[in-house]
Amino acid sequence: MASLSATAGLLLLIVASITTIAYVREARQKQEVSRLLAQSYLDRGLALCEQGDTTRGMLWLAHGLAAEPSEGGEFQYAIRANLANWRSDLVGMKARFEHQYAVAAVAFSPDGSTFLTGSASWDKKGEARIWDTAKGEFRAILEHERQVLAVAFSPDGKTVVTGSTDWKARVWDSASGKLTATLQHQAPVLAVSFSRDGQTLVTGSGGKYANKGRKARLWDVSTGTLIRPPIQHDGLVAAVALSPDGTTLVTGSGDWLHDGGEARLWDISTGEPIGAPLEHQGIVRAVAFSPDGRTVLTGSDDKIVRLWNAATGKVVRQLLQHKDSVRTVSYASMVLRPGRKALQHQDIVSKVVFSPDNRTVLTVARETAHLWDSTSGRPLSEPVRQRVGSQGGIGFFVQV
């Protein structure tokens, strides 16, 4: 009798185990089906949005969100980010800012109430325009003889500077559009940047054949005069930035006729280089200091973004291998919660933004955005799809 009871108990245990295994297997299969559905809905929704059917596309994205089996699942962040990206298409365009020629440079005032555009045509005069953001109307036209390729607002928003291929940088009063200074160069002005206190302006210039004009210059904004002799470079100076404390300058340069480029750190007080060149295999077109001034970010035509120690000039991390040249780098003001593993960019990377804690990098290509860990150089986020040409600006947000 005891033997029969033991046998029956064993059979019940086996049946229970088989039932549990079957239940777990079925649950896993359902979860996998849900994930496949979420992926299908995401792909369908993005396809519709990119075809101009935003309303139906966002409905499919919402279906994908509902199909994801767990809160915080692998598709949650990608779907939510794309819902946010395409949401603006559900309302009419707020304003359209017409230009006669191609727009080559844009900058917002610190308070966002106005913005500055620089436009260019190879065979005609160039101009910059100061626009009222709310009204969509331009306040002033700032004229140059040739293309305007670089623009910037001072930190207090009262002054703007424009750089042109007419070999001049011009300083203007942002309220009236009145010209206050013309800063003559020996080559096209390719880069402009203010110091944090707004008292110093840095310009970078150069051309294919204007060897004497390949210089970085530091100007006193109040007087329009040079603070020190220009800093000569071997290649054209395509990017400039001052450290937060105003003591160090970083420049990006290179040569169209030869492979290779570099960024250099310079002591403002002496005009002497600090350490060895920060080398790339193409023209360095983008430079930026971290908010604490300890790290330098460089982007180049060699399709690579690198982080450097500003004190030693050594590479901290080679972050991002891209499919095309990197033209812009900057630092953000808020932090984005990272999602899941990202894929490599398949197109030109137009912008790079750093979080203020230096831990996360956001890159934007022509059709996708990615998150990266700045310490390890590893991708953190599934790419967020967007419309071609929609990345006019990027930043970080706090997910709540």
Side-chain angles (χ1 to χ4, degrees):
M1 193 70 180
S3 177
L4 288 173
S5 298
T7 300
L10 180 60
L11 288 172
L12 288 173
L13 180 61
I14 292 173
V15 170
S17 298
I18 293 173
T19 302
T20 301
I21 292 171
Y23 175 80
V24 170
R25 185 175 296 170
E26 182 180 2
R28 288 178 177 174
Q29 289 175 344
K30 287 182 178 179
Q31 188 177 48
E32 182 62 26
V33 169
S34 295
R35 287 176 178 171
L36 290 173
L37 279 173
Q39 176 70 73
S40 175
Y41 290 147
L42 173 60
D43 292 342
R44 176 62 174 161
L46 289 176
L48 287 169
C49 287
E50 289 166 357
Q51 292 167 13
D53 193 349
T54 309
T55 302
R56 289 181 59 206
M58 292 190 69
L59 181 61
W60 280 96
L61 291 175
H63 286 324
L65 203 61
E68 172 60 56
S70 60
E71 181 66 28
E74 61 179 341
F75 291 107
Q76 285 276 337
Y77 297 133
I79 295 173
R80 290 182 186 277
N82 278 288
L83 281 168
N85 180 62
W86 288 100
R87 183 177 58 184
S88 61
D89 275 30
L90 295 179
V91 297
M93 183 183 297
K94 184 176 181 180
R96 184 182 180 90
F97 304 92
E98 294 287 350
H99 293 73
Q100 188 174 1
Y101 308 114
V103 178
V106 180
F108 268 97
S109 63
D111 64 4
S113 64
T114 58
F115 67 95
L116 180 64
T117 60
S119 60
S121 172
W122 291 110
D123 58 351
K124 297 184 183 298
K125 290 185 176 181
E127 65 178 31
R129 294 191 179 194
I130 300 175
W131 299 83
D132 185 300
T133 304
K135 296 180 180 179
E137 302 172 351
F138 66 86
R139 293 181 176 179
I141 297 178
L142 317 178
E143 294 184 345
H144 276 267
E145 283 74 40
R146 298 297 299 275
Q147 303 91 340
V148 177
L149 299 182
V151 298
F153 271 93
S154 63
D156 62 7
K158 296 180 179 180
T159 304
V160 299
V161 62
T162 55
S164 171
T165 57
D166 63 9
W167 295 19
K168 298 180 180 71
R170 287 179 171 164
V171 183
W172 315 77
D173 180 271
S174 63
S176 64
K178 180 181 178 181
L179 178 66
T180 60
T182 297
L183 313 178
Q184 185 64 52
H185 293 69
Q186 296 171 301
V189 180
L190 306 175
V192 295
S193 180
F194 282 96
S195 61
R196 178 171 288 186
D197 61 12
Q199 296 180 10
T200 302
L201 171 67
V202 186
T203 60
S205 61
K208 287 185 178 181
Y209 309 108
N211 294 333
K212 292 183 179 179
R214 296 175 172 181
K215 298 175 181 178
R217 292 175 168 85
L218 293 106
W219 308 82
D220 185 308
V221 175
S222 62
T223 64
T225 58
L226 285 170
I227 294 174
R228 56 159 297 98
I231 300 173
Q232 183 68 47
H233 288 67
D234 293 331
L236 59 88
V237 182
V240 294
L242 283 166
S243 61
D245 63 7
T247 63
T248 306
L249 169 68
V250 61
T251 58
S253 62
D255 195 325
W256 277 307
L257 303 179
H258 304 89
D259 292 333
E262 64 183 30
R264 295 296 308 253
L265 293 165
W266 306 87
D267 186 313
I268 295 300
S269 62
T270 64
E272 294 297 321
I274 301 172
L278 315 181
E279 294 184 348
H280 280 265
Q281 297 303 309
I283 298 173
V284 177
R285 299 186 183 275
V287 296
F289 276 96
S290 62
D292 60 11
R294 298 178 180 178
T295 308
V296 173
L297 185 65
T298 60
S300 168
D301 282 356
D302 64 9
K303 309 171 188 178
I304 292 174
V305 173
R306 289 192 175 105
L307 275 174
W308 310 79
N309 184 304
T312 65
K314 294 183 178 180
V315 175
V316 176
R317 182 69 56 184
Q318 179 169 303
L319 279 178
L320 314 172
Q321 176 71 53
H322 298 93
K323 291 293 186 181
D324 216 312
S325 62
V326 180
R327 299 300 181 99
T328 306
V329 295
S330 63
Y331 284 76
S333 57
M334 303 178 74
V335 181
L336 174 64
R337 183 178 178 181
R340 68 185 182 100
K341 185 178 179 181
L343 303 174
Q344 191 172 20
H345 289 91
Q346 298 298 318
D347 215 314
I348 296 173
V349 174
S350 59
K351 296 183 184 295
V352 181
V353 176
F354 241 78
S355 64
D357 60 6
N358 303 329
R359 295 179 181 178
T360 308
V361 180
L362 172 65
T363 66
V364 175
R366 200 167 72 105
E367 295 183 349
T368 57
H370 297 260
L371 284 170
W372 310 78
D373 185 295
S374 64
T375 302
S376 66
R378 295 176 180 175
L380 296 174
S381 173
E382 181 71 16
V384 178
R385 297 293 302 277
Q386 61 183 358
R387 293 165 299 158
V388 175
S390 65
Q391 68 276 16
I394 56 174
F396 282 75
F397 62 93
V398 177
Q399 183 171 2
V400 297

